[in-house]
Structures are given as C-alpha cells and as structure tokens.
C-alpha cells in the first residue's frame, strides 16, 4: 500500500496533464484585444435590439405605445430617448416626458420607412442631430402585424453609455485606449468627451501631416496598423502611439474601432 499510493498520485497528475487540464496562459495580442472589444459592442447592441423588438411586438399586439416605451426605457441602459411612429413616419408616442413635443411630427425626412427593413431586422443610424437638439446614434426596429409594416420604434443612445465602460476595461486589463469613428471621419466615441462629434479628417486638431495621414488611412481601410506622433496634453513631449483598427459592421453602419498604445 505504501508503494501503490504515490504511484496512483503520479498517474493522476500525468492524466490531468495529458488531458490538458492545466490551463495555458493565453497570449494577449492586438487582434485578441480587438476581438474582445467588438464582441462586447455587439453583445450590448444585440441586447438593446432584443428589448426594442419585444416592445415592438407588444405594440403590434395592442399594447398602448406610451406604456410599451416606458417599459423599454427601464429595460435598456442605453436609451437616451425613445420614439414610436406610425407607418407614415409620424410620431405617435415618445419617452421620457420631454419627448412629448415630438408627438405628431413627421420624421419621414430621416429616411426610415418600410424599405429600410427589407434586408435587415434593425437599423443603426449615423451619429446625427435629433429633435431634442442633442446628437446620438439611433437603433430602429419595425412594428409589424402579420407582415404589414405599422411603423417603428427608435431608441437614441449616448455612445458613451455604449462604449465608455468597454474602453475602461481595455485600459485596465491591457493598457489600450479605444476610440471609434465612422468612415466619413466623424468621431462617435473617445475617452475625451470633447472629441466626440469632431471629424478627424477635417478638424484643425488633426491637421498635423503625420496625424492627418493616419486618420485618412484609418478611414479608408477596413483594418490596419499605423504609428503617429502628437504632443502630450500635459507636457510638450512628443508621444508616439501605435493604432490598430478593424471595422465593426452593424445595422447598415460601419465603424472603425481603433485601439491605441503608447510606444
């Protein structure tokens, strides 16, 4: 018995090793960090679309539109404001209360109608000015009854709510910062809130040739890596950053998601 016990222990250890039960440490790469970031963005948007779709179904089944929007506002943490229209694009309900002013307005100029959802179940807008004078991205889902288009629900959301905590997590875990632009150069997220809404292709803050060329490269290419130099915010030191970007596609929009690190 004194001989058998150690042999058994060794055998068990060897079995565990051979079965791969001892976890290997994963290598962190720019690609793996990007994959983690875009997966989280997708999960959060999918969660919002799920709640919007459920509310659209409630309205299609006869639930009062305002009540449905109030419930939706509580369920999704992204919502800045919510509108519901009829089949002609006229607002029939809004939430919270400050959206009452939009009831009766014709939103057909925003371009969302029955044809918007011919090839997709939801629509994501560009970063745009809203009726309440703010700017946001908008997720829209159709309201249908037996295949008939009866309008849609639109949820305007603050891009910081969507992306801020994702950036914080990447920075804490890996030392990366994240910013996001549309392909026309409009910046929809940056850790510095004052940057949101600026255009990295035309704004004077990005006019330095090295930075400007990098912004062009990012906007024109689906993915890539580039280095650029800029003057630090708190010192006059020249800082070199490496940018790695990829394209996140959702609801008809393409975002360039960029992660940067100081070299």
């Amino acid at each position: 018995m004194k001989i058998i016990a150690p042999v058994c222990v060794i055998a068990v250890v060897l079995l565990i090793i051979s079965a791969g039960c001892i976890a290997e440490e994963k290598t962190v790469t720019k690609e793996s960090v990007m994959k983690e970031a875009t997966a989280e963005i997708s999960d959060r948007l999918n969660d919002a679309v799920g709640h919007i779709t459920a509310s659209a179904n409630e309205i299609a089944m006869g639930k009062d539109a305002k009540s449905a929007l109030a419930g939706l506002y509580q369920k999704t943490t992204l919502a800045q404001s919510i509108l519901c229209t009829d089949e002609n694009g006229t607002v029939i309900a809004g939430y919270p209360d400050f959206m009452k002013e939009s009831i009766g307005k014709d939103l057909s100029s925003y371009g969302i109608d029955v044809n918007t959802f011919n090839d997709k179940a939801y629509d994501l807008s560009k970063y745009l000015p809203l009726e309440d004078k703010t700017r946001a991205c908008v997720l829209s889902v159709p309201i249908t009854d037996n295949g008939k288009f009866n309008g849609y629900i639109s949820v305007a959301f603050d891009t910081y709510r969507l992306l801020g905590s994702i950036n914080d997590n990447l920075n804490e875990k890996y030392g990366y910062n994240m910013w996001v632009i549309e392909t026309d150069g409009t910046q929809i997220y940056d850790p510095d809130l004052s940057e949101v809404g600026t255009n990295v292709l035309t704004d004077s803050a990005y006019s330095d040739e090295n930075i400007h060329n990098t912004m062009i490269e990012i906007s024109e290419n689906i993915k890539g890596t580039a280095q650029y130099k800029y003057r630090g915010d708190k010192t006059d030191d020249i800082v070199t950053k490496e940018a790695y970007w990829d394209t996140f596609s959702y609801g008809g929009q393409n975002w360039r998601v960029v992660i940067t690190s100081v070299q």
Side-chain angles (χ1 to χ4, degrees):
M1 293 297 292
K2 291 181 180 179
I3 297 175
I4 294 175
V7 171
C8 290
V9 171
I10 292 172
V12 170
V13 171
L14 290 174
L15 181 62
I16 291 174
I17 294 174
S18 64
C21 294
I22 297 180
E24 295 182 5
E25 186 176 346
K26 292 183 178 180
T27 301
V28 175
T29 64
K30 297 187 295 293
E31 291 79 8
S32 66
V33 173
M34 178 64 71
K35 185 176 181 180
E36 181 177 329
T38 53
E40 182 64 21
I41 296 170
S42 182
D43 287 346
R44 293 186 182 193
L45 288 173
N46 286 339
D47 181 68
V49 166
H51 289 305
I52 301 169
T53 301
S55 296
N57 291 338
E58 289 176 346
I59 294 173
M61 294 174 64
K63 185 170 184 176
D64 174 69
K66 182 179 179 180
S67 297
L69 299 192
L72 175 58
Y73 191 82
Q74 300 302 318
K75 291 172 184 174
T76 175
T77 59
L78 293 182
Q80 176 177 315
S81 60
I82 311 176
L83 289 174
C84 176
T85 77
D86 63 15
E87 65 275 16
N88 299 313
T90 301
V91 179
I92 61 173
Y95 199 87
D97 285 342
F98 69 80
M99 296 304 294
K100 287 180 179 178
E101 296 179 3
S102 296
I103 296 176
K105 288 188 176 181
D106 180 2
L107 299 186
S108 58
S109 62
Y110 281 90
I112 300 179
D113 56 27
V114 62
N115 296 316
T116 301
F117 306 102
N118 281 343
D119 58 352
K120 54 189 175 184
Y122 48 84
D123 178 77
L124 177 62
S125 78
K126 296 180 73 65
Y127 189 72
L128 46 74
L130 304 179
E131 292 292 307
D132 62 6
K133 311 303 180 185
T134 63
R135 295 184 72 186
C137 291
V138 180
L139 268 176
S140 299
V141 170
I143 301 169
T144 58
D145 184 9
N146 293 320
K148 181 179 180 294
F149 177 74
N150 286 341
Y152 60 88
I153 297 176
S154 283
V155 172
F157 64 90
D158 181 346
T159 52
Y160 188 83
R161 288 190 184 185
L162 172 68
L163 302 167
S165 59
I166 297 176
N167 173 71
D168 292 344
N169 187 49
L170 297 184
N171 187 264
E172 182 178 345
K173 289 172 65 176
Y174 309 116
Y176 283 98
N177 274 316
M178 179 182 75
W179 43 278
V180 182
I181 64 170
E182 295 175 340
T183 54
D184 67 357
T186 301
Q187 191 157 213
I188 66 169
Y189 174 76
D190 189 276
D192 181 353
L193 290 179
S194 66
E195 296 291 316
V196 178
T198 61
N199 190 298
V200 299
L201 299 179
T202 60
D203 192 272
S204 60
Y206 302 89
S207 60
D208 177 86
E209 183 177 5
N210 172 242
I211 297 176
H212 182 64
N213 289 340
T214 301
M215 298 303 118
I216 292 175
E217 189 175 352
I218 292 172
S219 66
E220 293 184 349
N221 294 282
I222 293 174
K223 65 187 303 181
T225 303
Q227 286 191 348
Y228 61 97
K229 299 179 184 293
Y230 76 103
R231 195 173 299 279
D233 296 330
K234 297 181 180 180
T235 70
D236 288 333
D237 295 338
I238 300 298
V239 178
T240 299
K241 280 196 171 184
E242 182 176 77
Y244 172 74
W245 71 93
D246 205 343
T247 300
F248 175 77
S249 299
Y250 198 92
Q253 292 300 318
N254 294 309
W255 293 349
R256 301 286 195 252
V257 179
V258 188
I259 56 173
T260 62
S261 57
V262 176
Q263 298 303 293

